[in-house]
Amino acid sequence: MKSFVASTDPVYLAPTQPSGPDQFFGRYVQDVRDLPFIYLILKISATLLPLAVLLFVPALTGGLWWAVLAVYLFLGNLRFKGPFGLMLHCTSHRVLFKKKYGFLNSYIPWVIGPLFGQTPETYFTHHLGMHHPENNLPDDDSSTMFYQRDSLRGFLHYLSSFFLLGIPRLVQYFTRRNKPKLRHRLLRGELVYIVATIGLAFVNLPATLAVLVLPVILSRVVMMLGNWSQHAFIDATAPDNCYTNSITCINTAYNHKCWNDGYHISHHLKPALHWTEHPHHFRQNLAEYTRQDAVVFDGIHFLHVFLYLMTKRYDRLAHHFVNLGDRNRSMQEVVALLRARTQRIPRTTYATQLA
């Protein structure tokens, strides 16, 4: 176990003298704290986008094509995937560009998003249209509560269900909830992606598989793995409580790379909270985290949580567990708490609570 002493996660420090590029791009963004997103967009546009186009050039063949593909996959999956995915997350909650330049807000989901397996509009409609309103409860199609959350078999069932039925169920959800605009955005983005993929497959099948098909598979696996870990520890007596149906990961390099994504409890409490404000919100509400018996880990992120769950290394999870309020708990008691929070919640039990 660990005690909370200090936070090393990123916060905003206003520059004493903004650079020339900061001043230039600052005129276009809603919030100057989001200028790192602009530079990430420029890096992706200057590297990954040209490489994707190059893979479709007929003259590029043999070993040179494979070399370009290797660089493309490295940049897309090891360098930019995490930062891009969480930039998409942040800019879905808080629009990046000012209203005057609103057309630029389509660039992330429609132009560079598909390179990372994000079909246009799907992430926004799923995440803001269903996941947050339903808060991991049964009507959230990505809910984890009815699965045994330290079971690989349970995760594979969860993942396959999402792959096969995720989009149809999301369409049904928007129909049931009378959200036709979100349904239209979802179907439009999926249809454009499918038509573009089929069309480009006739132009260059290997390039299409590398640029548009493989990233979708990888992206959806990673997203569901992340959601599984973020909502792996649930208090069965209060599954709608954001403090006890989600977790927070602090003091990890992941938060520096992926815009404080580890603060998932505060994100569900205040979805529009700026990514630089989460460490302060956590410190400010530490007493409430303690009172609610929230699960907080120090020094690990969601991938670690997932791996420790799948291997049932509760001892490693307990080692990184933050002992909020310096409660007098033994390691065995922490392990027992974590195990209890990963147990599958039977639908009958949840229905009885509602009755």
Side-chain angles (χ1 to χ4, degrees), residues 129 185 233 324:
R185 289 179 65 172
F233 301 92
L324 297 175

Side-chain angles (χ1 to χ4, degrees), residues 69-90:
L69 175 63
V71 176
Y72 179 82
L73 293 176
F74 171 79
L75 292 176
N77 293 287
L78 298 179
R79 180 74 181 275
F80 294 135
K81 193 174 192 67
F84 171 81
L86 278 308
M87 174 178 69
L88 175 64
H89 176 232
C90 292

Side-chain angles (χ1 to χ4, degrees), residues 195-210:
V195 170
T197 300
I198 293 173
L200 288 172
F202 285 101
V203 176
N204 188 323
L205 180 58
T208 302
L209 293 174

Side-chain angles (χ1 to χ4, degrees), residues 247-260:
I247 65 172
T248 288
C249 295
I250 64 172
N251 297 338
T252 166
Y254 172 75
N255 285 337
H256 289 263
K257 185 178 182 180
C258 295
W259 327 111
N260 280 329

Side-chain angles (χ1 to χ4, degrees), residues 222-247:
V222 170
M223 286 192 298
M224 299 317 289
L225 183 155
N227 193 73
W228 180 274
S229 304
Q230 290 160 351
H231 297 284
F233 301 92
I234 305 172
D235 182 352
T237 65
D240 59 337
N241 183 348
C242 295
Y243 286 99
T244 56
N245 74 2
S246 185
I247 65 172

Side-chain angles (χ1 to χ4, degrees), residues 271-315:
L273 187 68
H274 194 268
W275 62 272
T276 60
E277 297 177 6
H278 284 286
H280 173 71
H281 182 275
F282 174 70
R283 291 192 300 269
Q284 191 178 39
N285 295 278
L286 201 57
E288 187 62 18
Y289 277 73
T290 303
R291 190 182 74 82
Q292 296 277 1
D293 216 4
V295 173
V296 178
F297 296 111
D298 183 308
I300 59 174
H301 56 74
F302 300 131
L303 179 57
H304 295 109
V305 171
F306 180 80
L307 292 175
Y308 291 152
L309 283 173
M310 294 302 101
T311 55
K312 294 181 170 55
R313 290 298 306 272
Y314 281 96
D315 58 323

Side-chain angles (χ1 to χ4, degrees), residues 9-288:
D9 295 321
V11 295
Y12 179 71
L13 298 174
T16 54
Q17 181 58 48
S19 67
D22 280 358
Q23 294 181 53
F24 175 77
F25 291 118
R27 299 193 300 244
Y28 295 89
V29 298
Q30 292 270 25
D31 193 324
V32 294
R33 294 176 296 179
D34 290 328
L35 282 173
F37 296 160
I38 297 296
Y39 298 122
L40 178 58
I41 291 171
L42 292 175
K43 290 177 184 177
I44 292 170
S45 300
T47 56
L48 206 62
L49 193 56
L51 288 171
V53 174
L54 193 58
L55 287 170
F56 282 93
V57 174
L60 189 72
T61 59
L64 189 55
W65 188 89
W66 286 102
V68 172
L69 175 63
V71 176
Y72 179 82
L73 293 176
F74 171 79
L75 292 176
N77 293 287
L78 298 179
R79 180 74 181 275
F80 294 135
K81 193 174 192 67
F84 171 81
L86 278 308
M87 174 178 69
L88 175 64
H89 176 232
C90 292
T91 56
S92 294
H93 282 280
R94 297 171 61 97
V95 174
L96 179 58
F97 293 101
K98 293 178 179 177
K99 187 176 181 179
K100 182 178 179 181
Y101 311 104
F103 66 95
L104 293 173
N105 288 312
S106 297
Y107 187 77
I108 293 176
W110 281 92
V111 179
I112 59 177
L115 303 181
F116 295 94
Q118 297 291 351
T119 52
E121 307 287 1
T122 303
Y123 181 84
F124 176 90
T125 54
H126 176 277
H127 189 72
L128 274 79
M130 182 179 71
H131 180 60
H132 274 282
E134 300 301 339
N135 192 30
N136 201 55
L137 293 174
D139 283 340
D140 180 354
D141 191 45
S142 55
S143 174
T144 59
M145 61 187 293
F146 297 132
Y147 295 90
Q148 179 66 31
R149 293 175 296 280
D150 62 357
S151 164
L152 179 59
R153 181 180 178 182
F155 175 72
L156 292 176
H157 182 272
Y158 174 77
L159 181 64
S160 60
S161 176
F162 177 78
F163 263 105
L164 296 174
L165 301 173
I167 300 301
R169 285 176 176 171
L170 187 54
V171 171
Q172 291 176 350
Y173 173 82
F174 289 143
T175 301
R176 189 168 66 250
R177 286 286 194 264
N178 193 27
K179 297 180 178 182
K181 290 183 179 179
L182 288 174
R183 182 181 60 201
H184 173 73
R185 289 179 65 172
L186 167 69
L187 291 174
R188 178 183 61 183
E190 288 291 313
L191 182 61
V192 168
Y193 166 78
I194 292 170
V195 170
T197 300
I198 293 173
L200 288 172
F202 285 101
V203 176
N204 188 323
L205 180 58
T208 302
L209 293 174
V211 173
L212 291 177
V213 178
L214 179 61
V216 166
I217 297 172
L218 292 176
S219 179
R220 294 190 176 181
V221 169
V222 170
M223 286 192 298
M224 299 317 289
L225 183 155
N227 193 73
W228 180 274
S229 304
Q230 290 160 351
H231 297 284
F233 301 92
I234 305 172
D235 182 352
T237 65
D240 59 337
N241 183 348
C242 295
Y243 286 99
T244 56
N245 74 2
S246 185
I247 65 172
T248 288
C249 295
I250 64 172
N251 297 338
T252 166
Y254 172 75
N255 285 337
H256 289 263
K257 185 178 182 180
C258 295
W259 327 111
N260 280 329
D261 184 54
Y263 289 84
H264 207 67
I265 291 175
S266 54
H267 176 62
H268 268 268
L269 290 169
K270 301 184 71 174
L273 187 68
H274 194 268
W275 62 272
T276 60
E277 297 177 6
H278 284 286
H280 173 71
H281 182 275
F282 174 70
R283 291 192 300 269
Q284 191 178 39
N285 295 278
L286 201 57
E288 187 62 18

